[in-house]
Amino acid sequence: MAACSFRINRFGKFVEIQFDKHGRISGAAIRTYLLERSRVCQVSNPERNYHCFYLLCAAPQEEVERYKLGNPKSFHYLNQSSCFELAGVSDAHDYLATRRAMDIVGISAKEQEAIFRVVAAVLHIGNIDFTKGKEADSSVPKDDQAKFHLKTTAELLMCDPAGLEDALCKRVMITPEEVIKRSLDPQSAVISRDGLAKTIYSRLFDWIVDKINNSIGQDPNSKSLIGVLDIYGFESFKTNSFEQFCINYTNEKLQQHFNQHVFKMEQEEYTKEQIDWSYIEFVDNQDVLDLIEKKPGGIVALLDEACMFPKSTHETFSNKLYQTFKVHKRFIKPKLSRTDFTIAHYAGEVQYQSDHFLDKNKDYVVPEHQDLLGVSKCPFVAGLFPPLPVETSKSSKFSSIGSRFKLQLQQLMETLNSTEPHYIRCVKPNNQLKPAIFENVNIMQQLRCGGVLEAIRISMAGYPTRRPFFEFVNRFGLLCPEALAGSYDEKIACKKILEKKGLQGFQIGKTKVFLRAGQMAELDARRAEVLNNAAKTIQGRVQTHYARKKVHCIAEGHRRLACKIFDGMRREAAAIKIQKHTRRYAARTAYKKLHVSALVVQTGLRAMVACKEFRFRKQTKAATIIQARWRCHKAVSYFKRLKRSAVVTQTGWRSRVARRELRLLKMAARDTGALREAKDKLEKHVEELTWRLQLEKRLRTDLEEAKVQEAVKFQNSLEEMKIKIEEANALIVKEREAAKNAINEAPPVIKETQATLDSEKQRADDTQKKYSEVQEMSEERRMKLEETEKKVQQLQESMQRLEEKLTNLESENKVLRQQALSMAPNKFLPGRSKSIMQRVESHIPVDAARTSLDLQSPSVNHREHSEVDDKPQKSLNEKQQENQELLIRCVAQHLGFAGNRPIAACIIYKCLLQWRSFEVERTSVFDRIIQTIGHAIETQDNNDVLAYWLSNASTLLLLLQRTLKASGAAGMAPQRRRSSSATLFGRMTQSFRGAPQGVNLSFVSNGGVDSLRQVEAKYPALLFKQQLTAYVEKIYGMIRDNLKKGNISFAWIMHPVANTAAQQALIAHWQGIVKSLGNFLNTLKSNHVPPFLVRKVFTQIFSFINVQLFNSLLLRRECCSFSNGEYVKAGLAELEHWCYNATDEYAGSSWDELKHIRQAIGFLVIHQKPKKSLDEISHDLCPVLSIQQLYRISTMYWDDKYGTHSVSIDVISNMRVLMTEDSNNAVSSSFLLDDDSSIPFSVDDLSKSMEQIDIADIEPPPLIRENSGFSFLLPSVD
């Protein structure tokens, strides 16, 4: 049998094709024999069970779920073998093919559904396990899994689950007196379960065969038929049961028919040809068939007899066989087994195990199973178990599988005997199912089991080779040519040929020659020898002819070739001679013609050149005269225009300079008034602070006096209480002694004394309570006094800071006032001042630039006046100018960082400090540094360069902030407030105008930077600090705007997600944004930008993201959907993860800037919106959003994923009411957010956030290291 084979037939079938009298097909039928029902419950490894189970498990998913199936490995009837799939076979494809085949044979869709439901029920039945019940010898389903399969089986068979459980676990015994219900033990319940599965499968198989026969149609009046018998072959396994017994019985029957047919054909052939065949032996296997089927003593009869007795077992059956056939030559009793027996079949001995012979031979249905499935609600299942006829149910006649199979086999043999049989034997070359592999032992076993060897033996016993006379003479006549000379008789010629070759044992028939085994091969060998010798002779003659012919051809070819070569050489010599003379003549003729032509051309060219030269000289002379006249006219005209333009330009410029000087004078006058007004305000503020300080001092004095008075009162009351307590105690002692005496003397007075004593005790307790209360009050007053002292101390500190601030402001006002009073009218502005003003104006908005120009004009005019009128000597010599030039060239390069300190900023600061540039009245080094920074940041797209200069500029500004102080300032850093201006230029202007909230221009050293030497800054240093502040702001804004314009784009990010590809693209865009933020953060970190500025940048960027997303959500309805909310929520999660990774040091409060879009998205993706009230939405879910924004989101919301609704109509109505009230209260109805592009920090904020910078050990760059003018930059060596 083929293990794991796709074509496993575990039943025999006989297919009839019926023909009418005209020879046309009129019908067909299929007969089946012995379906192997036990394979449903038991399968050997590595075989597969019936294919329908695997096909159903590979069905489409909806059908698998309908029948509650799964992997074949999960079913007991299938997982007994490790073979679940076949190589190159698709169970799912075969399932669909089976469905189509059922449609073709006429099985309706309803019947197909019922068929596969029954097949699925068989699988579920196998998974019902049993365990012992509460009662003895009872059984119940083992666990919940077994109950599930029991319930599923009942649902598929459409029967009662409880009835199915009773049918499997119980038996009903009917006696004349009563009906007894007996429980089965778990093992018997399993046998009952397997019996039900086999019966259901067998009934379903028979129904399908009948359905196919009815669909095909049968002709009972057919005149002839062609039958194809496809039945199992001989089987011999390690374990052989009742099925192998029946199969081998069938093969014995068929082998007898085959042997008889072969022998009969041989007999007819020999008789026809009048051949003597009396000595041929024929082996008959009738004794084996008698052993099996003979009545009443055959094995089948004894098995039926044992099945009719209830107490018979396989052991009694085996003993009966041993006693009956102990002398039979075909029956053998094994030595090591008491129940096995061996039969010597034609193909070999087979040992059978009789353990299940009795159970498998019984052909009956358990009544409980018949009753349960006969009343099924499914007509198909009920049709498989029709009610038994009354006479059948009451009949006591026994029916067995063996007897029924024996009867079917007899009918089959009658059919075969009535036909002319032809045999086809299939041989499997190997068990690996691979090509070009032949297993000799396996093939011989198959030939032996198929009876082929026996048929060959019968044929070999006679004359296996036979040939007609004509064919024999035609083939072997060349062995005896003399027998074929002239007119001859074929029979006599054949005899002469055989006698000449000396063969013995052959016979000559009427029309054929009969040869013994091997004689034909001998004749073929001699014939091949004769043919071989003749072929060699012919080949020799032919090769000689070809060689001779080839030699003659070669000689003739050589002669003709020599003549041809000689003729060619002669012709070639003549041609060369003719060519030589012809070429010489042609060359001579051509040379003569060329010589004459050259002379003619040369004469003409020389004449032409001479004429051309003459014309050129004539034209040149005329052009020279014309050019001289034209240039003279042009020079005169240009001089006149230039003179007229110069007069006009001088007039306009003088008027413009006059208007500018007038405007500057007016601004200076206005600034002087503003300074005076600021001074008045500061004086008033100082008076107010002085009054507050005096008030605080008075309050403190009053509190101290009250504290002293309370303490005195408390001390006095405490002493009084102590005195009263002592007096009360003494009085109590005296009264107790008097009471004792009185008790002894006067008993009637005891009660009065006792009452007096109680009253005294009560009074003492009251006194104690009052003492506790007074003590608590004293403690409270003491705590209040400590709090008052803390407040007084805080007020003192505030007063001290205000005084310091006032002193600082006065010093700044003094410096600015001196600069303003020293202004005088000027004729023109110097070049250096113009460059300063132009550079400042290029980075300041229009309003701020106008104010800044007003501030700078007085000092600039003053300096210009000094340069023009007084003509002072230069402040720096040539050496200093060279050092400044070298410094500028050095810092223009990328110097990098020393640790986290920018080298360029530290070098600039140390040089300016060394050269005392902060203390001079005029210097150009500040302008050149500012100009260098301006040139470096012209390329606004390079964030790396911008970050580098932001780090240097902020560090240099910090060093200036902690070093410079205004002339006459106190040296203590004041506490400053945030300015309302948008930029530091505006705050600088306000500080010059005298506003107390402006930027403080004094620079002090904080407590941790005592190593920095403070200097009194002159006006150029103060202006340089303000310009540096402006550049810090500008670079910060450029970096922030670059990040906004870069990868952080949200124009399309709020589109609804249509499919998976679009969703992946949008998620990739979110990841790109996060990657851009990470790259930008890495750039800032690598350039050591202060974390304070990094936090400010990302805070504004996240605010920009919040505004963009939130406004898109409010303005576009397609963005206000559930799926888009989920998508944006995923993106916000990416940003939150980025903030977590960036840490608070760099991210700061960036995540909090997304509060609007976070709450809005949370509202979009929340479920059950109609159940939410307005109070829950506005206070719990979205406390930051306004009513207008909530109303906008609620009305624009749409769920494109689940189809849910927005908030309820009542909530919408309440929102409208609140919006109406807000509009009546004149509150702005705008629901969009605005992006804040202001600079979110000040110089003091930056100074406080940055740590101390040590510039002592900074190594100078190589460009200036070797220069002696920068030796002060080298670290000191001890």
Side-chain angles (χ1 to χ4, degrees):
M1 187 190 69
C4 276
S5 174
F6 178 61
R7 302 298 178 192
I8 297 178
N9 294 328
R10 302 309 301 171
F11 61 93
K13 59 178 176 293
F14 182 72
V15 181
E16 294 181 4
I17 303 176
Q18 301 165 350
F19 299 87
D20 58 10
K21 60 182 179 179
H22 301 291
R24 293 175 297 189
I25 297 177
S26 59
I30 300 176
R31 307 283 184 265
T32 60
Y33 304 98
L34 189 63
L35 173 68
E36 188 177 351
R37 300 193 306 170
S38 61
R39 175 170 288 274
V40 176
C41 308
Q42 298 175 355
V43 59
S44 302
N45 193 24
E47 300 174 3
R48 287 219 316 177
N49 209 318
Y50 289 107
H51 294 306
C52 61
F53 297 131
Y54 304 95
L55 300 185
L56 188 57
C57 291
Q61 187 62 30
E62 58 272 12
E63 298 191 20
V64 173
E65 295 177 354
R66 184 193 311 162
Y67 302 134
K68 300 180 181 178
L69 298 175
N71 193 289
K73 298 179 181 179
S74 61
F75 294 100
H76 172 66
Y77 286 165
L78 304 182
N79 60 19
Q80 300 176 31
S81 171
S82 61
C83 182
F84 297 98
E85 297 179 355
L86 300 178
V89 177
S90 173
D91 292 332
H93 179 270
D94 291 348
Y95 172 79
L96 299 177
T98 303
R99 282 279 198 176
R100 289 193 295 271
M102 288 183 174
D103 294 335
I104 293 173
V105 300
I107 301 177
S108 63
K110 186 176 181 180
E111 290 174 341
Q112 292 180 29
E113 196 274 337
I115 289 172
F116 287 107
R117 189 152 27 85
V118 171
V119 173
V122 172
L123 289 177
H124 285 290
I125 289 174
N127 283 13
I128 304 175
D129 296 330
F130 300 94
T131 186
K132 291 184 179 180
K134 297 181 180 179
E135 300 178 359
D137 294 334
S138 65
S139 60
V140 293
K142 186 175 182 180
D143 50 18
D144 294 338
Q145 191 72 14
K147 293 179 181 178
F148 166 75
H149 289 288
L150 177 67
K151 182 179 178 181
T152 304
T153 303
E155 291 176 356
L156 294 174
L157 297 177
M158 294 187 182
C159 61
D160 183 27
L164 178 60
E165 183 178 353
D166 291 341
L168 296 176
C169 301
K170 297 179 181 179
R171 288 290 177 268
V172 177
M173 301 177 63
I174 302 176
T175 63
E177 294 82 9
E178 60 179 346
V179 177
I180 302 173
K181 184 175 289 189
R182 178 174 62 87
S183 299
L184 300 177
D185 58 8
Q187 184 177 1
S188 300
V190 170
I191 295 175
S192 175
R193 176 200 70 187
D194 294 342
L196 176 60
K198 291 186 289 186
T199 302
I200 293 175
Y201 189 84
S202 176
R203 295 288 180 92
L204 177 62
F205 179 81
D206 294 339
W207 184 91
I208 292 176
V209 173
D210 294 340
K211 184 70 175 180
I212 294 174
N213 287 333
N214 295 334
S215 175
I216 295 174
Q218 305 182 43
D219 183 10
N221 301 320
S222 63
K223 298 301 180 180
S224 59
L225 62 88
I226 294 178
V228 178
L229 177 63
D230 181 9
I231 202 164
Y232 16 67
F234 190 85
E235 293 185 353
S236 177
F237 302 131
K238 184 177 181 180
T239 301
N240 301 284
S241 187
F242 181 70
E243 291 81 8
Q244 283 70 38
F245 176 76
C246 295
I247 289 171
N248 294 337
Y249 168 46
T250 303
N251 281 274
E252 286 285 356
K253 203 78 171 173
L254 294 175
Q255 183 66 25
Q256 184 188 39
H257 178 269
F258 175 69
N259 292 343
Q260 290 177 353
H261 175 70
V262 172
F263 182 77
K264 183 178 179 181
M265 290 177 59
E266 292 287 323
Q267 180 183 3
E268 291 177 354
E269 180 75 15
Y270 295 156
T271 303
K272 179 180 177 181
E273 294 291 331
Q274 297 180 0
I275 297 299
D276 184 12
W277 56 277
S278 58
Y279 57 85
I280 298 177
E281 297 180 0
F282 172 67
V283 178
D284 194 3
N285 60 344
Q286 185 61 42
D287 53 349
V288 179
L289 295 176
D290 293 341
L291 173 67
I292 296 174
E293 65 182 5
K294 186 177 180 180
K295 287 187 178 181
I299 296 176
V300 175
L302 294 177
L303 181 61
D304 292 343
E305 180 182 351
C307 291
M308 287 188 292
F309 292 98
K311 295 185 179 180
S312 296
T313 63
H314 63 283
E315 295 178 351
T316 58
F317 170 66
S318 300
N319 292 330
K320 184 70 174 177
L321 293 179
Y322 297 157
Q323 295 174 4
T324 305
F325 305 112
K326 60 183 178 180
V327 295
H328 200 287
K329 64 178 181 178
R330 294 281 190 171
F331 185 87
I332 303 172
K333 177 185 177 183
K335 297 180 179 180
L336 302 178
S337 177
R338 297 182 180 180
T339 59
D340 296 353
F341 62 92
T342 302
I343 297 178
H345 292 283
Y346 72 93
E349 296 181 356
V350 180
Q351 183 173 345
Y352 298 98
Q353 286 73 34
S354 63
D355 297 349
H356 301 288
F357 266 53
L358 274 67
D359 294 335
K360 294 181 179 180
N361 187 51
K362 295 177 181 179
D363 183 21
Y364 69 95
V365 180
V366 178
E368 288 78 4
H369 301 170
Q370 175 72 34
D371 297 340
L372 174 69
L373 299 180
V375 296
S376 171
K377 296 179 182 179
C378 177
F380 182 83
V381 176
L384 296 179
F385 293 86
L388 299 175
V390 178
E391 61 275 8
T392 303
S393 60
K394 293 183 179 180
S395 177
S396 61
K397 184 178 179 181
F398 176 76
S399 176
S400 66
I401 298 293
S403 300
R404 187 155 57 88
F405 181 70
K406 178 181 175 183
L407 181 61
Q408 288 181 342
L409 197 57
Q410 290 176 357
Q411 295 174 356
L412 175 63
M413 297 309 298
E414 291 175 359
T415 303
L416 294 178
N417 291 328
S418 64
T419 60
E420 181 181 354
H422 299 273
Y423 295 91
I424 299 175
R425 296 296 184 182
C426 300
V427 179
K428 187 173 69 172
N430 59 79
N431 290 326
Q432 289 80 15
L433 304 180
K434 294 182 179 179
I437 299 177
F438 294 92
E439 298 176 355
N440 297 334
V441 178
N442 189 15
I443 294 174
M444 289 298 295
Q445 179 66 20
Q446 294 180 62
L447 294 175
R448 184 179 295 105
C449 294
V452 177
L453 297 182
E454 182 66 20
I456 293 174
R457 190 195 66 77
I458 295 174
S459 179
M460 291 291 291
Y463 300 95
T465 305
R466 57 207 72 177
R467 289 288 186 275
F469 292 150
F470 172 77
E471 181 180 345
F472 185 83
V473 171
N474 188 34
R475 181 172 180 82
F476 299 107
L478 54 88
L479 298 179
C480 185
E482 60 272 12
L484 304 180
S487 177
Y488 60 92
D489 186 5
E490 291 180 347
K491 183 175 183 180
I492 298 174
C494 291
K495 187 174 182 181
K496 289 181 179 180
I497 293 171
L498 294 172
E499 289 177 351
K500 181 178 180 181
K501 295 303 176 184
L503 298 181
Q504 302 293 330
F506 62 89
Q507 292 198 30
I508 305 297
K510 295 176 66 177
T511 61
K512 296 180 181 178
V513 175
F514 293 85
L515 302 177
R516 304 289 291 186
Q519 291 181 346
M520 189 68 175
E522 185 178 356
L523 290 174
D524 284 335
R526 295 184 180 181
R527 176 177 178 273
E529 183 179 356
V530 172
L531 292 177
N532 190 23
N533 293 332
K536 289 179 181 179
T537 304
I538 294 171
Q539 287 176 357
R541 295 293 183 180
V542 171
Q543 288 175 359
T544 301
H545 173 72
Y546 281 143
R548 190 171 297 163
K549 186 177 181 180
K550 185 177 180 181
V551 170
H552 287 300
C553 290
I554 291 173
E556 182 65 20
H558 286 173
R559 185 183 66 78
R560 292 182 179 180
L561 181 62
C563 294
K564 191 173 182 179
I565 291 173
F566 175 75
D567 185 59
M569 292 173 65
R570 188 164 55 84
R571 287 175 177 273
E572 183 179 359
I576 291 173
K577 192 172 184 179
I578 293 171
Q579 289 175 0
K580 180 180 67 174
H581 291 288
T582 303
R583 286 170 183 166
R584 184 181 64 181
Y585 174 75
R588 182 68 179 172
T589 305
Y591 171 75
K592 289 181 179 180
K593 289 182 180 180
L594 182 62
H595 184 261
V596 173
S597 300
L599 292 176
V600 174
V601 170
Q602 287 176 1
T603 303
L605 287 176
R606 287 167 183 162
M608 187 186 301
V609 170
C611 293
K612 187 175 181 181
E613 179 69 20
F614 174 74
R615 285 196 302 271
F616 174 74
R617 289 182 180 180
K618 188 177 180 181
Q619 290 176 358
T620 302
K621 184 177 181 181
T624 303
I625 296 172
I626 294 172
Q627 288 175 359
R629 299 295 177 89
W630 169 251
R631 286 171 182 163
C632 180
H633 171 73
K634 188 176 180 181
V636 172
S637 301
Y638 174 73
F639 172 74
K640 291 180 180 179
R641 285 198 309 272
L642 184 61
K643 183 178 180 181
R644 187 166 52 253
S645 301
V647 173
V648 174
T649 303
Q650 288 174 359
T651 304
W653 177 253
R654 287 175 184 140
S655 62
R656 181 180 178 185
V657 170
R659 284 194 298 271
R660 185 183 298 172
E661 289 178 356
L662 178 61
R663 185 169 61 252
L664 293 177
L665 290 174
K666 288 180 180 180
M667 289 181 180
R670 199 160 48 245
D671 289 340
T672 304
L675 290 173
R676 190 174 295 109
E677 183 182 353
K679 179 181 178 182
D680 295 339
K681 288 183 180 180
L682 287 176
E683 289 175 353
K684 290 180 180 179
H685 194 194
V686 170
E687 291 177 359
E688 181 182 353
L689 292 176
T690 305
W691 178 80
R692 288 178 59 184
L693 180 60
Q694 293 175 357
L695 179 62
E696 290 293 338
K697 288 181 178 180
R698 263 201 313 275
L699 290 175
R700 182 177 181 185
T701 304
D702 295 341
L703 287 174
E704 290 179 353
E705 293 176 356
K707 178 181 177 183
V708 173
Q709 293 177 2
E710 289 293 336
V712 172
K713 290 181 181 179
F714 173 71
Q715 191 67 26
N716 295 334
S717 61
L718 186 61
E719 292 177 356
E720 292 177 359
M721 287 293 176
K722 288 182 179 180
I723 294 171
K724 290 181 180 180
I725 290 172
E726 291 176 357
E727 292 178 354
N729 291 335
L731 184 59
I732 289 171
V733 172
K734 291 180 181 180
E735 288 180 354
R736 284 180 179 175
E737 293 178 355
K740 289 181 182 179
N741 296 330
I743 288 170
N744 297 328
E745 295 175 358
V749 192
I750 293 175
K751 294 181 180 181
E752 296 179 359
T753 306
Q754 188 68 30
T756 304
L757 184 60
D758 293 339
S759 63
E760 291 295 334
K761 286 183 179 180
Q762 184 67 27
R763 190 165 53 187
D765 292 340
D766 293 340
T767 304
Q768 188 68 26
K769 288 180 181 180
K770 289 181 180 181
Y771 175 75
S772 301
E773 292 177 357
V774 170
Q775 194 171 5
E776 290 177 358
M777 290 173 62
S778 175
E779 185 67 24
E780 290 178 359
R781 290 176 180 176
R782 186 181 63 80
M783 292 175 66
K784 289 181 180 179
L785 185 60
E786 291 178 355
E787 292 178 358
T788 305
E789 290 178 351
K790 290 181 181 179
K791 290 181 179 179
V792 169
Q793 186 177 1
Q794 292 176 358
L795 289 174
Q796 288 178 351
E797 293 177 356
S798 300
M799 186 64 187
Q800 186 179 1
R801 287 196 298 269
L802 290 173
E803 289 176 352
E804 293 172 355
K805 184 176 180 180
L806 180 59
T807 305
N808 215 2
L809 289 174
E810 287 178 352
S811 62
E812 292 179 5
N813 290 336
K814 182 178 179 182
V815 173
L816 296 175
R817 188 161 52 250
Q818 290 175 358
Q819 297 289 345
L821 294 177
S822 61
M823 289 189 306
N826 296 319
K827 294 280 181 85
F828 57 93
L829 290 175
R832 186 177 64 83
S833 300
K834 289 181 182 179
S835 63
I836 294 173
M837 294 173 63
Q838 289 173 359
R839 284 194 294 274
V840 173
E841 288 175 358
S842 64
H843 304 297
I844 307 175
V846 177
D847 298 336
R850 187 181 298 113
T851 307
S852 177
L853 182 61
D854 295 342
L855 289 171
Q856 297 173 14
S857 298
S859 61
V860 171
N861 288 334
H862 176 71
R863 289 197 301 273
E864 182 60 30
H865 182 72
S866 300
E867 290 176 3
V868 175
D869 297 338
D870 298 336
K871 298 181 180 180
Q873 295 181 353
K874 295 181 180 180
S875 59
L876 295 175
N877 55 23
E878 295 298 332
K879 184 64 176 180
Q880 290 176 335
Q881 292 181 359
E882 292 178 1
N883 291 341
Q884 290 180 7
E885 181 68 27
L886 187 60
L887 174 64
I888 295 302
R889 282 194 286 114
C890 180
V891 298
Q893 302 174 0
H894 192 289
L895 301 182
F897 300 87
N900 59 349
R901 299 164 297 176
I903 297 176
C906 297
I907 294 298
I908 291 172
Y909 174 75
K910 293 174 73 174
C911 289
L912 295 178
L913 199 63
Q914 177 70 21
W915 297 336
R916 296 184 177 272
S917 300
F918 301 128
E919 305 174 24
V920 299
E921 293 290 343
R922 291 190 303 272
T923 179
S924 62
V925 66
F926 297 133
D927 295 338
R928 301 187 67 182
I929 293 173
I930 291 296
Q931 186 177 7
T932 301
I933 298 176
H935 288 328
I937 64 173
E938 285 179 355
T939 305
Q940 299 183 3
D941 296 334
N942 194 339
N943 288 329
D944 194 22
V945 175
L946 294 177
Y948 170 76
W949 281 108
L950 178 60
S951 177
N952 280 276
S954 58
T955 303
L956 184 56
L957 182 61
L958 172 66
L959 294 173
L960 297 181
Q961 176 77 359
R962 296 176 178 175
T963 302
L964 303 184
K965 65 179 180 179
S967 178
M972 297 296 293
Q975 297 291 332
R976 60 182 304 263
R977 300 178 223 170
R978 284 292 307 272
S979 171
S980 60
S981 300
T983 65
L984 281 178
F985 277 104
R987 292 195 292 274
M988 179 184 71
T989 304
Q990 290 182 5
S991 68
F992 276 116
R993 292 184 180 277
Q997 293 84 4
V999 178
N1000 185 12
L1001 297 179
S1002 63
F1003 302 86
V1004 298
S1005 83
N1006 292 336
V1009 202
D1010 295 335
S1011 61
L1012 297 179
R1013 178 170 60 85
Q1014 291 198 348
V1015 297
E1016 293 186 358
K1018 299 299 181 181
Y1019 180 78
L1022 297 177
L1023 184 60
F1024 173 65
K1025 178 172 175 289
Q1026 295 300 327
Q1027 291 172 339
L1028 192 61
T1029 304
Y1031 269 104
V1032 170
E1033 281 189 348
K1034 179 181 179 181
I1035 298 173
Y1036 171 86
M1038 291 168 65
I1039 291 176
R1040 177 196 60 199
D1041 296 339
N1042 284 345
L1043 186 55
K1044 288 183 180 180
K1045 292 184 297 184
N1047 295 330
I1048 302 182
S1049 175
F1050 300 92
W1052 61 283
I1053 206 168
M1054 294 289 290
H1055 285 210
V1057 182
N1059 50 36
T1060 305
Q1063 184 176 7
Q1064 292 177 354
L1066 293 178
I1067 291 176
H1069 184 68
W1070 275 112
Q1071 294 174 352
I1073 292 173
V1074 173
K1075 183 178 179 182
S1076 177
L1077 292 175
N1079 294 338
F1080 184 70
L1081 177 58
N1082 293 334
T1083 300
L1084 297 180
K1085 285 183 178 179
S1086 62
N1087 288 281
H1088 300 286
V1089 176
F1092 173 77
L1093 295 180
V1094 177
R1095 290 194 295 271
K1096 292 297 181 181
V1097 169
F1098 283 111
T1099 300
Q1100 286 198 315
I1101 291 300
F1102 274 69
S1103 176
F1104 171 74
I1105 294 174
N1106 180 64
V1107 171
Q1108 292 288 319
L1109 292 179
F1110 189 74
N1111 290 346
S1112 298
L1113 187 70
L1114 296 182
L1115 294 176
R1116 298 168 60 186
R1117 187 174 185 273
E1118 66 269 16
C1119 298
C1120 198
S1121 64
F1122 184 85
S1123 61
N1124 194 66
E1126 289 184 333
Y1127 161 65
V1128 177
K1129 185 178 180 181
L1132 294 178
E1134 294 285 343
L1135 293 179
E1136 184 180 10
H1137 182 66
W1138 181 88
C1139 292
Y1140 175 77
N1141 292 335
T1143 69
D1144 291 340
E1145 181 181 3
Y1146 295 101
S1149 60
S1150 300
W1151 177 245
D1152 296 335
E1153 295 296 328
L1154 301 176
K1155 54 188 175 183
H1156 287 84
I1157 187 62
R1158 283 162 48 199
Q1159 294 184 7
I1161 293 301
F1163 177 70
L1164 286 182
V1165 300
I1166 194 173
H1167 296 284
Q1168 298 181 351
K1169 293 183 182 67
K1171 296 184 179 180
K1172 301 296 182 181
S1173 64
L1174 179 59
D1175 185 67
E1176 291 177 345
I1177 295 173
S1178 60
H1179 292 84
D1180 298 336
L1181 297 178
C1182 308
V1184 178
L1185 305 185
S1186 64
I1187 295 298
Q1188 290 87 347
Q1189 294 167 346
L1190 289 174
Y1191 177 78
R1192 182 78 175 179
I1193 296 174
S1194 301
T1195 54
M1196 291 180 64
Y1197 171 77
W1198 62 291
D1199 191 348
D1200 57 341
K1201 189 172 184 180
Y1202 301 107
T1204 60
H1205 299 285
S1206 183
V1207 297
S1208 62
I1209 300 177
D1210 296 337
V1211 174
I1212 297 292
S1213 301
N1214 294 335
M1215 288 183 181
R1216 289 199 188 100
V1217 173
L1218 293 176
M1219 290 170 62
T1220 305
E1221 294 177 357
D1222 292 344
S1223 63
N1224 294 333
N1225 294 334
V1227 179
S1228 175
S1229 61
S1230 176
F1231 52 81
L1232 298 178
L1233 300 179
D1234 295 328
D1235 185 22
D1236 183 13
S1237 298
S1238 63
I1239 302 300
F1241 60 87
S1242 64
V1243 179
D1244 285 350
D1245 295 336
L1246 184 61
S1247 177
K1248 293 175 183 177
S1249 64
M1250 295 180 66
E1251 300 178 353
Q1252 177 181 356
I1253 299 178
D1254 185 10
I1255 62 175
D1257 57 344
I1258 299 295
E1259 286 286 342
L1263 185 61
I1264 62 176
R1265 185 180 302 159
E1266 304 299 334
N1267 195 311
S1268 60
F1270 294 92
S1271 58
F1272 60 88
L1273 295 177
L1274 299 175
S1276 60
V1277 181
D1278 296 338

